[in-house]
Amino acid sequence: MSRLDINTPDRAQLVVDQLYHDMERRIIASGPGLCPVDMSLNFLTMCHAQTCGKCSPCRIGLGQLATIMRDILDGKGKMQDLDTLEKTANIIVNTASCTIGTHAASLVLSGLKGFREDYEEHIKHHRCLGNMEQPVPCVALCPAKVDVPGYIALIREGRPADAVRLIRKDNPFPVACGYVCEHPCEARCRRNMLDDAINIRGLKRFACDTAGEVPQPACAPATGKQIAIVGGGPGGLSCAYYLALMGHKVTIFEKQKHLGGMLRYGIPSYRFPRELLEGEINSILSLGIDVHLETTVGQDVSFADLKRDYDCLYLAIGAHTDKKTGIDGEDSHGVYSAVEVLRQIGDDIYPDYRGKKVVIIGGGNVAMDVTRSAIRYGADSVTCVYRRRQQDMTALPEEVEGAIAEGAELLTMYAPVRIESDADGNVTALIAQKQLTGLIKNNRPSLMPDEVEETRIPADVIVEAIGQGIDSRAFEAAGVPVYHGTIQALSDSRLGDAHMDGVFAGGDCVTGPASAIRAIAAGKVAAANIDEHLGFNHEITVDVDIPEPRLDDQPPHARVNTTEQEANIRKHNFDCIECGMTEKGAMAESSRCLRCDHFGFGIFKGGRHTKW
C-alpha cells in the first residue's frame, strides 16, 4: 500500500472545472441592462454554495437574504423587507466566521446602497428599472453608440466604404478610433461566451484603410444660426461636424497652432500617423467650418463677445495643463511635464535625448507615450518609475508590454521622494522610496513606505506624467460654473445657470481627462441639444442597408489580432508600429460576429438606431 499517490483530476473534476470556466465566460459577456437585483441574488447564491456551513450566519443568514431577494423579484416583497435585508446583512458581516460569508453579505449591502431604487421599483410596481433600451453590448458600451454589428456585417460583405459611412453617423473620427480607441465596446462582447471578444477596433481600422476616400454627406439647408466652439479637439470637432451637417454655421476657436487636441498633442505619430489625422480633420472642415487658430478665449477674444455674437456656444477646451508631483527639486533644469513634451512634439519641435538618461514618472498611457517616444529620440536609457504594481497601471497592457519590448525599464513600487540636481541646477537623479502594498481601498491597494534605504536613479531628463488638468480660469472669471477646475454641465451638456442660457460644455473639461471616444460622444450629444435649443429637430441618418445575418455555424474560433513591427526595428523610427489586418484576416474576424443586433433579445427590442 503506497503512502502517497499522485493526485490526478478525474473526469468529474474536469467537467466541474469546465463549468466554472463557462460560468466565468457568461459573467464576462453579460451585457449592460441586466437587473441588478437579480444579478446580486445570483452572486449571493453562488457564494452561499461555497461556504462551509459551520456557522449560522453563513448557513442560515445567507439563505434568509436569498429568500427575501427572491420574494422581492417575484413581486411578494414589502418595503420593510429592505430594512430586514440591511439588518441581516450587517449581522452576517459582523459575525460570520469566514471571508466568503462576510463578502457575500457586503455585496448585498453594496447593492442596497447602490441601486435601492431598483429594489423599491420591484416592491412597489413589480417591474425592473434595468436599462433594456439597447440590448446589444458593443453598442451599449460604445460612448458614441456606433452601430458596431452593422459595420462589421458590411466589412464581411466587402463594403468598407459603406462601413465608414455608417460609423460616421455617430462618430466623425472612424480613422482615429480605428488606430487609437481604447475599445470599451469589446469589454462585454458576447463572443466571450465562446472564445474571445471580436477585434472591433482592428476591423474599424481595416475598413478605413481599404475604403479609400469616402465623401462626406451633404449638409442640410442653411439655418442662418451661428455657433462658436471653443476647442478644436475631438469633442469640439465632432460637435462642429454634426452642427454643420444640420445646416448651422460653425466657427472653431483653437488655442494651439493646430487642430486635433490630444489626438495631435497627446498621441505620438508611431501610434497614429500625423498625415491620417490631418486628412480626417480636413475632411470634417470640408463641410464649411471656419477655424481661428492660436486664439485664446479671455485674451484674444472675450467670452462675453462670443456669447453676444453667436446664437450658441460650446466649450470643449479639453485637459491640456500639467500636474506636478510637488516633490523637492521639481524646478531643476531638465524636469518637464509630459503635456509640455508632447505639445512640443505636436508642434513639430522635437527633443534631442541622444546619450541621455531619461526617467518618466507615471503609469498611464501618456507615460507610456513619452517613454516610447524618448526611446525613438535616441535616449541612452529610459526608465519608467511607477509607485504601484504593474497590474495597477492605468495604461493599456499592450502599451506597457510594447515599451518593455523596445528597451524601457519599468521600475514599479517606487514612489518619487525628491529630485537631485548639481550646483548649476541641472537634474542629476530621481530619489525614490520602495513601497509596500497595504489594504485594498476602492479596488486598489494602498501603499506604505518600505523600511529600506532610498534608491537613487541617475537622470539627465525627468518627465512627470502623473495626469492632466483643465485651465478653466478665464471661463470661471466670466461666470461659467466651475467646481475644482471642471466646468459644471448637465447630462445634456447645458450649463445649469440661467444666465448661461445657450452655453453648452462637454468632454474633458467637464468629466476630467478621458478617452477620445468619450469626447466624441460628448460632442455628438451637444450638437443634438444645441440644434433643439435653436428650435430645430434635424435628424442624422445614413442610407446604408445592413446585410442580413448569415445562418452559418459559429464554432469556437480564435481571435484575429493585429500584429506590430519587430521591437528592434520600430524603436528607431516613428512609422506606425501596428500592422493592419489583411483582407483574409478581416473576413475571418468579421465572420465571428454573433449579430446580437438580430438574434435573441437584440431583435426583440429592435437592436439598431437608424437615426438620432
Side-chain angles (χ1 to χ4, degrees):
M1 184 71 182
S2 302
R3 291 180 59 194
L4 299 175
D5 292 318
I6 296 173
N7 186 13
T8 303
D10 58 16
R11 179 173 297 181
Q13 185 59 46
L14 292 175
V15 172
V16 169
D17 290 343
Q18 185 60 44
L19 289 173
Y20 267 108
H21 188 57
D22 291 342
M23 181 175 65
E24 290 170 1
R25 286 192 176 280
R26 286 199 164 269
I27 293 172
I28 292 171
S30 60
L34 297 177
C35 173
V37 181
D38 186 44
M39 181 70 81
S40 293
L41 173 61
N42 288 326
F43 275 110
L44 174 65
T45 304
M46 182 175 65
C47 293
H48 191 195
Q50 293 178 336
T51 61
C52 65
K54 290 183 179 179
C55 68
S56 56
C58 284
R59 185 179 68 253
I60 300 174
L62 294 181
Q64 287 296 105
L65 291 179
T67 299
I68 296 172
M69 293 173 72
R70 287 193 189 96
D71 286 344
I72 291 174
L73 286 170
D74 292 340
K76 304 174 185 176
K78 302 178 179 61
M79 288 301 295
Q80 54 264 37
D81 288 341
L82 298 183
D83 292 332
T84 305
L85 266 180
E86 186 172 5
K87 291 177 182 178
T88 306
N90 274 316
I91 291 172
I92 296 172
V93 168
N94 294 324
T95 60
S97 300
C98 70
T99 304
I100 296 177
T102 57
H103 180 73
S106 296
L107 183 147
V108 174
L109 290 173
S110 298
L112 279 172
K113 181 180 179 181
F115 42 85
R116 190 181 186 91
E117 64 275 10
D118 291 87
Y119 281 95
E120 294 176 353
E121 191 71 14
H122 277 289
I123 293 171
K124 295 178 180 178
H125 305 293
H126 311 305
R127 66 185 183 188
C128 183
L129 285 178
N131 179 17
M132 295 293 187
E133 293 180 0
Q134 182 46 265
V136 183
C138 55
V139 180
L141 291 175
C142 173
K145 299 295 180 287
V146 174
D147 187 349
V148 176
Y151 76 73
I152 289 179
L154 290 166
I155 292 171
R156 189 182 184 190
E157 293 295 319
R159 297 163 57 188
D162 281 343
V164 171
R165 293 173 60 209
L166 182 63
I167 295 168
R168 281 178 177 168
K169 177 178 72 70
D170 301 287
N171 175 6
F173 283 95
V175 179
C177 290
Y179 278 78
V180 300
C181 185
E182 295 183 346
H183 47 78
C185 51
E186 297 181 15
R188 296 291 183 89
C189 175
R190 289 197 177 111
R191 187 76 200 196
N192 276 308
M193 289 188 288
L194 285 175
D195 34 62
D196 203 354
I198 303 291
N199 190 346
I200 296 173
R201 185 187 65 80
L203 287 171
K204 187 190 284 105
R205 175 182 167 177
F206 172 81
C208 296
D209 287 346
T210 57
E213 186 175 350
V214 181
Q216 294 287 357
C219 296
T223 62
K225 299 295 184 180
Q226 297 189 65
I227 297 96
I229 295 178
V230 182
L237 284 167
S238 297
C239 183
Y241 175 81
Y242 291 116
L243 288 172
L245 286 179
M246 295 171 183
H248 306 302
K249 185 61 180 175
V250 182
T251 303
I252 296 176
F253 295 87
E254 169 57 46
K255 181 179 181 179
Q256 304 299 334
K257 296 179 181 179
H258 304 278
L259 294 174
M262 293 308 287
L263 290 177
R264 182 182 181 100
Y265 291 100
I267 298 176
S269 58
Y270 67 80
R271 287 181 58 203
F272 184 26
R274 190 68 49 77
E275 62 273 14
L276 296 180
L277 173 62
E278 292 175 350
E280 191 150 53
I281 291 175
N282 289 335
S283 179
I284 291 173
L285 297 182
S286 68
L287 299 180
I289 299 168
D290 292 334
V291 177
H292 295 284
L293 297 173
E294 297 183 87
T295 303
T296 303
V297 175
Q299 296 179 14
D300 304 304
V301 61
S302 72
F303 177 84
D305 289 342
L306 294 179
K307 192 171 183 298
R308 180 193 66 226
D309 297 338
Y310 291 87
D311 297 293
C312 275
L313 181 58
Y314 180 55
L315 307 180
I317 58 175
H320 292 269
T321 62
D322 50 34
K323 288 186 176 180
K324 302 294 185 181
T325 58
I327 59 178
D328 291 338
E330 199 171 28
D331 56 350
S332 302
H333 299 305
V335 179
Y336 307 93
S337 71
V339 172
E340 181 182 0
V341 171
L342 294 174
R343 182 183 300 140
Q344 290 182 342
I345 295 174
D347 286 333
D348 302 321
I349 303 172
Y350 307 111
D352 184 4
Y353 293 147
R354 286 176 295 181
K356 296 182 178 180
K357 298 179 178 66
V358 180
V359 174
I360 290 90
I361 302 173
N365 283 322
V366 173
M368 291 301 102
D369 288 338
V370 176
T371 298
R372 301 177 76 175
S373 295
I375 294 172
R376 287 161 172 78
Y377 286 121
D380 188 51
S381 68
V382 180
T383 304
C384 182
V385 179
Y386 184 56
R387 66 192 185 100
R388 297 182 182 274
R389 302 169 300 174
Q390 182 172 339
Q391 59 263 45
D392 298 323
M393 297 178 75
T394 56
L396 294 173
E398 54 265 32
E399 287 293 314
V400 180
E401 293 164 6
I404 295 173
E406 291 168 5
E409 180 182 0
L410 184 61
L411 196 61
T412 59
M413 299 302 295
Y414 277 89
V417 175
R418 64 184 178 277
I419 293 172
E420 184 181 280
S421 58
D422 60 19
D424 296 325
N426 298 312
V427 63
T428 57
L430 173 69
I431 309 301
Q433 174 70 53
K434 181 70 173 176
Q435 302 290 294
L436 290 174
T437 54
L439 297 174
I440 294 177
K441 299 177 181 179
N442 298 322
N443 296 321
R444 300 184 79 184
S446 58
L447 301 173
M448 63 187 78
D450 197 355
E451 294 180 359
V452 296
E453 293 183 0
E454 296 174 342
T455 299
R456 184 179 186 274
I457 307 166
D460 302 304
V461 175
I462 294 178
V463 182
E464 298 176 327
I466 60 170
Q468 299 140 249
I470 298 98
D471 187 2
S472 56
R473 291 170 297 180
F475 301 95
E476 185 175 14
V480 173
V482 173
Y483 181 71
H484 287 180
T486 58
I487 297 175
Q488 300 300 288
L490 304 176
S491 59
D492 61 0
S493 298
R494 291 183 299 109
L495 302 188
D497 291 9
H499 69 286
M500 286 293 163
D501 185 51
V503 181
F504 296 74
D508 290 359
C509 66
V510 172
T511 63
S515 61
I517 187 60
R518 295 195 178 279
I520 291 166
K524 172 185 170 183
V525 168
N529 293 319
I530 288 172
D531 183 66
E532 184 175 336
H533 177 82
L534 294 173
F536 299 92
N537 188 28
H538 291 99
E539 293 180 346
I540 302 296
T541 61
V542 62
D543 56 344
V544 172
D545 295 326
I546 308 299
E548 290 295 319
R550 300 182 184 183
L551 302 179
D552 299 343
D553 289 337
Q554 291 286 353
H557 188 296
R559 172 184 166 110
V560 178
N561 286 316
T562 54
T563 59
E564 292 185 347
Q565 296 182 46
E566 294 180 15
N568 64 337
I569 295 176
R570 69 183 188 233
K571 69 179 183 180
H572 296 298
N573 57 65
F574 277 86
D575 296 341
C576 186
I577 63 175
E578 185 182 61
C579 305
M581 287 185 182
T582 63
E583 182 177 0
K584 188 174 182 180
M587 292 304 104
E589 186 64 7
S590 59
S591 68
R592 296 176 62 235
C593 181
L594 297 176
R595 291 300 301 271
C596 301
D597 60 316
H598 181 84
F599 295 109
F601 197 59
I603 192 64
F604 178 72
K605 292 293 291 186
R608 171 168 288 106
H609 297 302
T610 58
K611 60 185 179 181
W612 60 269

